């Protein structure tokens, strides 16, 4: 079992950038990792995923603006978010999946507002 802790959220103006981090309590080497988000009144949605072999996938709404990456030596996954828009406002959750087990972090709030 692995515990995931997100950090890096906050308030940013439209057009700004943030980098989220998700640090695991153990090795994520074999894990497929991802970022999801949930806005008020909406369902949780996929933002980006990165497989154990570094294959990435993005939601259409963030392609070209967000970049997911991982550092297995640090047990950490990152989400670099550029050109942020008000509609990116949400709680962002880190996800780790290995075989039939799925783990979630507690979430970090991202607010994009002027």
């Amino acid at each position: 079992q692995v515990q995931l802790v997100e950090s890096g959220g906050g308030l940013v103006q439209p057009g700004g950038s943030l980098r989220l981090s998700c640090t695991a309590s153990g090795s994520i080497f074999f894990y497929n990792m991802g970022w999801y988000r949930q806005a008020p009144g909406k369902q949780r949605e996929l933002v980006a995923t990165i497989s154990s072999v570094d294959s990435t996938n993005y939601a259409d709404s963030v392609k070209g603006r967000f970049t997911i990456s991982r550092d297995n030596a640090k047990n950490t996954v990152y989400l670099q978010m550029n050109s942020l828009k008000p509609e990116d406002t949400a709680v962002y959750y880190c996800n780790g999946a290995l075989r039939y087990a799925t783990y979630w972090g507690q979430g970090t709030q991202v607010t994009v507002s002027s």
Side-chain angles (χ1 to χ4, degrees):
Q1 186 173 355
V2 65
Q3 294 181 333
L4 304 174
V5 179
E6 302 98 335
S7 61
L11 174 64
V12 63
Q13 292 187 341
S17 298
L18 281 175
R19 188 176 81 156
L20 305 183
S21 299
C22 169
T23 301
S25 58
S27 174
I28 61 168
F29 187 84
F30 295 107
Y31 281 73
N32 295 318
M33 302 296 296
W35 288 95
Y36 291 72
R37 67 187 181 187
Q38 187 167 18
K42 295 187 177 181
Q43 290 188 332
R44 190 174 298 188
E45 63 176 4
L46 180 147
V47 176
T49 60
I50 184 165
S51 75
S52 59
V53 293
D54 286 347
S55 176
T56 59
N57 180 54
Y58 296 91
D60 287 343
S61 59
V62 307
K63 281 181 181 177
R65 300 188 298 122
F66 291 10
T67 302
I68 189 171
S69 61
R70 64 193 295 160
D71 185 339
N72 290 335
K74 296 182 178 180
N75 298 328
T76 300
V77 177
Y78 304 98
L79 184 68
Q80 178 67 44
M81 305 186 295
N82 299 328
S83 302
L84 282 161
K85 305 175 181 180
E87 51 263 44
D88 294 318
T89 295
V91 178
Y92 284 70
Y93 296 91
C94 180
N95 171 273
L98 178 64
R99 298 187 184 93
Y100 301 107
T102 299
Y103 304 99
W104 293 93
Q106 82 289 349
T108 185
Q109 176 70 46
V110 172
T111 302
V112 184
S113 175
S114 55

